Amino acid sequence: MTFHNWFKQWMQEHPLRVPDEDDSRRFTQDVMRQIRADVMPAHAPAWGGWRLAVALPAFAIATTLIVVTALYLTRDNGPTVVEAAPPTPPATEQVEPVQLAHTDDATSPFEEAEAIVALLAALDEELNGDLSADTLTEALRWIDESDLSS
Amino acid sequence: MSQASDQSDRETIAAILAGDSERYAELVDTHQTGAIQLAYSLLSNYEDARDAAQEAFVSAFHSLPRFKGSARFSSWLYRIVVNKAKDKLRKRQRTPYMVSVDNDDESAGVGPFTLPDLKSKAPAEIMHEKELATTISRAVQQLPFKQRTAFVLHHMQGKPLQECADVMGCRLGTVKTHVFRATQRLQALLAALYSERTLS
């Protein structure tokens, strides 16, 4: 008998072991568990992305509805909002007229002062040096109503 | 493996690639015995063999889109099993490892081999059968890896030489050489056993 035949006979008498039914079932379960564990993280972003794709427009629509409703209600209660509005800084109101007065008016402050002094001097002369408080008040009102630039 | 089961494998693979990954369990059920036997014969340790086969099935699943279909699924899978077994042996070389042949219960067998019905046999005969199985298993483990793979596939799993070549990714002539050298070496290693059995 050749070695080849001898070994062949040995293998017929002693075949390779076959896993029993329980071990075989466990083996398949172990492989599939491993595969599921490997596959799930790869699919998770796509699944998450799908949820995000639905959630984002829904959130946007809800937010838009809230904002539009709030604006609508605000328009109906206009005075309330005006009252609640923060006051305009006073500096703006104070600066602008002074700048406008000097830029629009041709008469300089120095000329205005000179004209006032001249008028007061003329008034005092007319009253023979008796310029009382009442007279001065009257004179200032008169000056205020006069066109000093002319 | 028959052409019918080969066709069945192809249909299952097509379904898996179409998205039904749960059907991979069918391929595992069909091919696990051969895969574990191959790994067990190469490694001579059941737990390592089971791990190697499991890793091979998982790798095969992930590489399934690259499976060309020119070879049988079993040949392609066994090639992965051989590579995983080789990895296990490399790990054994890096870390101290007691190479031992499993000594399971009498009904299970010794190493990758099944022992015949021992109930009617005398204790001395049972002992002799176990020693013989252990010696053959250890002798196979002493073969260089490529010779061992070729020998296991052809003489222990009964695969045709061409299929062995497909699994090992080499030419038919190369496989024949590996099988021939492995047989010569085993004959030398098992000379005493062989002559004893031949004479008896």
Side-chain angles (χ1 to χ4, degrees), chain A:
Chain A
M1 185 186 278
T2 61
F3 177 78
H4 179 263
N5 288 337
W6 173 80
F7 193 80
K8 201 174 176 180
Q9 190 180 326
W10 160 262
M11 285 306 300
Q12 282 171 354
E13 291 170 2
H14 307 80
L16 291 173
R17 287 168 62 178
V18 176
D20 61 40
E21 206 172 307
D22 284 346
D23 196 25
S24 179
R25 191 169 50 247
R26 264 200 311 276
F27 183 86
T28 304
Q29 285 171 352
D30 288 349
V31 170
M32 293 309 291
R33 193 179 300 122
Q34 179 67 48
I35 285 170
R36 285 182 205 115
D38 291 348
V39 167
M40 278 304 284
H43 285 195
W47 188 70
W50 176 82
R51 281 206 307 178
L52 202 65
V54 173
L56 273 180
F59 178 75
I61 290 165
T63 309
T64 309
L65 280 171
I66 290 166
V67 168
V68 167
T69 309
L71 284 172
Y72 181 76
L73 291 171
T74 304
R75 197 178 62 177
D76 283 354
N77 301 325
T80 312
V81 174
V82 170
E83 281 173 11
T88 313
T92 315
E93 288 180 351
Q94 288 173 352
V95 171
E96 279 187 357
V98 172
Q99 285 174 342
L100 286 171
H102 291 293
T103 48
D104 290 346
D105 201 341
T107 309
S108 70
F110 182 72
E111 285 170 337
E112 279 183 20
E114 255 189 345
I116 290 167
V117 169
L119 281 168
L120 285 172
L123 188 65
D124 187 45
E125 199 175 325
E126 197 174 316
L127 294 171
N128 297 317
D130 190 19
L131 187 61
S132 65
D134 290 338
T135 313
L136 184 60
T137 307
E138 182 67 23
L140 286 172
R141 190 168 58 243
W142 180 75
I143 289 167
D144 188 44
E145 289 169 359
S146 303
D147 186 6
L148 295 174
S149 58
S150 59

Side-chain angles (χ1 to χ4, degrees), chain B residues 28 31 49 67 79 94 122 133:
Chain B
V28 179
H31 297 287
F67 174 61
R79 192 170 183 173
R94 282 201 295 270

Side-chain angles (χ1 to χ4, degrees), chain B residues 123-142:
Chain B
E125 207 172 347
I126 294 170
M127 186 70 78
H128 182 72
E129 281 285 348
K130 284 188 172 181
E131 280 178 6
L132 190 62
T134 305
T135 307
I136 291 172
S137 187
R138 283 183 179 156
V140 172
Q141 295 307 304
Q142 287 180 43

